[in-house]
Structures are given as structure tokens and as C-alpha cells.
Amino acid sequence: CGVFGIFGTEVEAAKLTYFGLFALQHRGQESAGIASFQEGTFFGHKGMGLVSQVFDEDILQHLPGSIAVGHTRYSTTGTSRVSNAQPVIVETARGKLALAHNGNLVNTLQLRDHLVQEGLNLETTTDSELIAHRIAQEVNQDKSWPEAAIAACQDCQGAFSLVLGTAQGLMGIRDPHGIRPLVIGTLPSKGQQGEQQYALSSETCGLDIIGATYLRDVLPGELVWIDQQGIQSQLWAAAANPKLCIFEMIYFARPDSHMHEESLYSYRLRLGKYLAQESQVEADLVIAVPDSGVPAAIGFSQASGIPYAEGLIKNRYVGRTFIQPTQTMREQGIRMKLNPLPDVLSGKRVILIDDSIVRGTTSRKIVKALREAGATEVHMRISSPPVNHPCFYGIDTDSQDHLIAATKSVEEIARQIDVDTLYYLSWEGMLAATGENPDHFCSACFTGDYPIAIPEPLKRSKLM
Ligand code: 5GP
Ligand code: SF4
Ligand code: MG
């Protein structure tokens, strides 16, 4: 999911949030929503579909105020329906709370049981609603917004990057492992007193689109509270232990977003270079599975000296195939999405680069299309290791039995997707390319080494 928020001294926070969500569209295409606050009054709108389908000028006109929170959803818990769209809105003694959540809790069942026992009426099927209700309970005990949020977050286990809007201010929170990203930006103010305006965004591309300047990340285990006085920070977790999702870096986040002081384009280019060094092969062309494989393919070409070419043209108006709910729809999606170029491919030995293989269905179809277009050899190179474990922290990589690498060896996968050779980047290479301490990442979908313990019943739902 994508989360976004604005604390402004001027109006139109909802409009800025709309643009922020537009830049974060890749993080979720199922539903979108914006909540705004104008002098204590709440406004909100959400719906199913893309940001541009859910909002228009008229709707945004009816979301006034200088504080706003927005969300683009990609369902990892709960079903796909409008009542599960976010921000989640709950009533508290201090007015409405709007909560936008990216990530997945792992103790949802326990939290839910607890709240239901206390007599709470739950409206949705999401873990995010539970967090909002826990905060409301604490606010109703007369805690301040930050104190209430901290008390609630202490009951939550799992991944949560939160943006919360209230009539009094805006809040940003990351779980102690900082699994999902969240950044802070500042906007120039036209106001006389030169007050700062702030933005919170899942990724820096959400700051770029509104002309905000990146200030810093919200830290793992940090809460920031932004109001008229400016920004206050609290490190609320007893022991923060950074474990940023490596999948954000290799695939999920936009290549023009920055993490660890460089664009993910640069990181992915390096993945391609490492891949070329690890797995040399003779060929005529390097091509990418667009768009996600492009930076690594360029890096592979630079390091190997084999020319890069476009061999597949993507129709950009088809949503990410992976996010569509059924396997049949997914298979239809891929046919609509990619078209090979026979005049580029004919008679050529091709190196095909992608960022990952999850189920293997996309890859198999692409290889078939390349051969039909005249490629004489197809050597597939993947800029990450085999995905053989499910994610419980908010990326929808499916249950383990659907992951092709969970049950098949690399040779078997090569046969199944019908490539001449197949090689995956090493786990060491993927982490070394970050230039950071490898311990500071979650890479559980490649290793099964989950940084946050998964309770038994949840484990059984996704592990073989
Ligand atoms: P497969 O061959 O496994 O069917 O598909 C691999 C493709 O799916 C890759 O191009 C990769 O970019 C994409 N992919 C990998 N993980 C995810 C994910 O979590 N969500 C979406 N939408 N796509 C993914
Ligand atoms: Fe990211 Fe994989 Fe960890 Fe999930 S399991 S948070 S996808 S690295
Ligand atoms: Mg892809």
C-alpha cells in the first residue's frame, strides 16, 4: 500500500495528497481514499479503483483543510471491497482519527479477539482498523494523540508504517523494524511567519511530485507528531532493529525513489552488474521484462558489454498483473500487457532479465513469446535469489505452495519456463549491492528467516 499525509499552513492539503497518491499508485491499485481536516471538521472520500478513477476536481473541492491523509490499497489482509478502503476513520473523544496503514500485522487474531471481548463492533476485515480502535481507546482515556498511538503500537506486532490525521495534527509512525518505508518532506510556505509545511510519504517519489524537499526517513520505532509548533519526534520502541524489506529495493518501490541516499534505479543497475559478474553467458542481446527488469538489464549490459535492446513493448495501461485477484485474470493480464518485437529478436541469442520470479507464470509466457518472435536462445537472469517463502509483512507473494522456487530446483524451473539457462543473483550479491549492513534488511522471502516471529495459526495459513 501507499500512505501519504500533509500538514500545511495553507489549504488544499487534499489536492497535494491526491498528487502524492498518484505518485504512489504502483503501491496499490485496488482502492484509494483521502481524509481532510479543516478547523476541526472532518471530510473524507474513498472508492474502488485507481486514484484518478476515485477522485475528480469536484470531489477534491469538497475535501477542504490544511491537514490530509491518503492511502492507495493493495489487499494483503481482508477482502477487496470499499468498506476495507483506507484511510480507516474512527470516532474518538477528541474527534475523528484517520489512519492509513502500509504493512501487515502478524498478531491480528489476538488483537481482534481482545477488542471483540471488550465489546467493540468491527466494521472491516483489516488489521488496520484494529490499530485505529486501539488508539481511540487510549485517546478516550485522556492520553495525547502521540501517547495514545504509542500505547496502541506497543500492542502491535508486524509491519506498520502509519500516517494518521487528526484535527490537531499529523502523525507518522514506523514499527521497530521499519519493514515498510516512510519519509518526511518539507514544503516551502507562503505564510508570513514562514511556518513549515510537511509531507509524509511511503516513498520519496511522492515528495518529488508535489515539489517537497526530502528531510529524512521516519526511523524504525519512531513517531513524529506535526502540528502548529512544528515537528516532534519520539523513539517509542524499546529496541529498534532495522529490517527494511529488501523486496522494496529490488522490485516494489519506484526506481526514482531514494533509499539509503541513492535512487533505487542506481541500486538495481548495480544488481544487474553483479548478476553479469556472477553468471557469464554468450549472447547477442540483453533485454528486460519491462518495466521492473529494465535497470538491472542496463547494468547487466554495461558490465558484460553485450548490447541492451528493447525486445518487449509494454502496454502501460494494464495494471500490474500480479495484483489481479485470480490466476485466470492474471494469465489474461499478461497477454494484454507485453508484445515482443520480432525484428529485434529474430535469429538472436537473448539474455532476458527480470527482477524476480514468483509463481513463474509471467516468465513462462514471456519466454514463449520471445521464441515465437524468433529468438534462437533464451538465457534468463534474475536480479534476486529464488523466492521460496511467503511474506507475512505486507507484500502479496502468495502462499508457499504457489511459489515456484519453493518446490522446484533451479534446473526444474528452467525446464518449466522453457529457458536454455537460468541463473538467480546470489543472496550475498543482492545484499552487498546495497552498500549497507546486510543485517539491516528483511530477506525472509529468500531465506525463511523471519525477523518478526510468525504465530503458528498464521504460519499454517501460508507455509507448506
Ligand atoms: P512470475 O514469472 O513469477 O509470474 O512473475 C514475475 C514478475 O512479477 C516479475 O516481473 C516481477 O516484477 C513481478 N512481481 C514480483 N513480485 C511481485 C509482487 O509482489 N507484486 C507484483 N505486482 N508483481 C510482482
Ligand atoms: Fe520484504 Fe520478503 Fe521480508 Fe516480505 S519477507 S518484508 S517481501 S523481504
Ligand atoms: Mg515485473
Short mmCIF file of all heavy atoms in Angstrom, two decimals, residues 251 289-293 314 337 354-356 362, ligand 3:
data_model
loop_
_atom_site.label_atom_id
_atom_site.label_comp_id
_atom_site.label_asym_id
_atom_site.label_seq_id
_atom_site.Cartn_x
_atom_site.Cartn_y
_atom_site.Cartn_z
N TYR A 251 12.29 -4.55 -6.15
CA TYR A 251 11.12 -4.58 -7.04
C TYR A 251 10.02 -3.58 -6.71
O TYR A 251 9.53 -2.88 -7.60
CB TYR A 251 10.51 -5.99 -7.05
CG TYR A 251 9.11 -6.01 -7.58
CD1 TYR A 251 8.88 -5.87 -8.95
CD2 TYR A 251 8.01 -6.09 -6.74
CE1 TYR A 251 7.59 -5.83 -9.46
CE2 TYR A 251 6.72 -6.06 -7.24
CZ TYR A 251 6.51 -5.93 -8.59
OH TYR A 251 5.25 -5.89 -9.08
N VAL A 289 12.44 -7.60 -18.94
CA VAL A 289 10.99 -7.67 -18.80
C VAL A 289 10.59 -6.29 -18.28
O VAL A 289 10.93 -5.93 -17.16
CB VAL A 289 10.56 -8.77 -17.80
CG1 VAL A 289 9.03 -8.76 -17.67
CG2 VAL A 289 11.06 -10.13 -18.24
N PRO A 290 9.92 -5.49 -19.13
CA PRO A 290 9.59 -4.14 -18.69
C PRO A 290 8.46 -4.15 -17.66
O PRO A 290 7.64 -5.07 -17.70
CB PRO A 290 9.15 -3.44 -19.98
CG PRO A 290 8.74 -4.52 -20.92
CD PRO A 290 9.46 -5.78 -20.49
N ASP A 291 8.37 -3.10 -16.77
CA ASP A 291 9.39 -2.11 -16.56
C ASP A 291 10.38 -2.54 -15.50
O ASP A 291 11.50 -2.03 -15.43
CB ASP A 291 8.73 -0.80 -16.06
CG ASP A 291 7.84 -0.18 -17.12
OD1 ASP A 291 8.23 -0.16 -18.29
OD2 ASP A 291 6.74 0.27 -16.76
N SER A 292 9.94 -3.50 -14.65
CA SER A 292 10.70 -3.76 -13.44
C SER A 292 12.10 -4.32 -13.71
O SER A 292 13.00 -4.16 -12.90
CB SER A 292 9.92 -4.72 -12.54
OG SER A 292 9.63 -5.91 -13.23
N GLY A 293 12.33 -4.95 -14.86
CA GLY A 293 13.63 -5.55 -15.13
C GLY A 293 14.62 -4.61 -15.81
O GLY A 293 15.79 -4.97 -16.01
N LYS A 314 5.66 -2.84 -23.58
CA LYS A 314 4.63 -2.99 -22.56
C LYS A 314 3.52 -1.97 -22.76
O LYS A 314 3.78 -0.80 -23.00
CB LYS A 314 5.29 -2.77 -21.19
CG LYS A 314 4.32 -2.80 -20.04
CD LYS A 314 5.04 -2.67 -18.71
CE LYS A 314 4.05 -2.47 -17.58
NZ LYS A 314 4.73 -2.42 -16.28
N LYS A 337 -0.51 -7.34 -21.88
CA LYS A 337 0.47 -6.39 -21.38
C LYS A 337 1.75 -6.29 -22.19
O LYS A 337 2.30 -5.20 -22.34
CB LYS A 337 0.81 -6.82 -19.95
CG LYS A 337 1.44 -5.75 -19.12
CD LYS A 337 1.48 -6.25 -17.69
CE LYS A 337 2.26 -5.33 -16.81
NZ LYS A 337 2.20 -5.80 -15.42
N ASP A 354 14.92 -10.20 -15.47
CA ASP A 354 13.78 -9.75 -14.66
C ASP A 354 14.24 -9.62 -13.22
O ASP A 354 15.28 -10.15 -12.83
CB ASP A 354 12.60 -10.73 -14.78
CG ASP A 354 11.26 -10.04 -14.49
OD1 ASP A 354 11.26 -8.86 -14.05
OD2 ASP A 354 10.22 -10.67 -14.72
N ASP A 355 13.44 -8.88 -12.42
CA ASP A 355 13.83 -8.65 -11.02
C ASP A 355 13.55 -9.86 -10.15
O ASP A 355 14.24 -10.06 -9.15
CB ASP A 355 13.08 -7.43 -10.48
CG ASP A 355 11.59 -7.63 -10.54
OD1 ASP A 355 11.00 -7.39 -11.61
OD2 ASP A 355 11.01 -8.07 -9.55
N SER A 356 12.53 -10.64 -10.50
CA SER A 356 12.19 -11.78 -9.64
C SER A 356 11.31 -12.76 -10.40
O SER A 356 10.68 -12.40 -11.39
CB SER A 356 11.44 -11.29 -8.38
OG SER A 356 10.30 -10.54 -8.74
N THR A 362 4.29 -15.57 -15.36
CA THR A 362 4.67 -14.47 -16.26
C THR A 362 5.86 -14.89 -17.11
O THR A 362 5.85 -14.76 -18.34
CB THR A 362 5.09 -13.23 -15.44
OG1 THR A 362 4.17 -13.04 -14.39
CG2 THR A 362 5.16 -11.99 -16.31
MG MG B 3 8.00 -7.26 -13.47
#
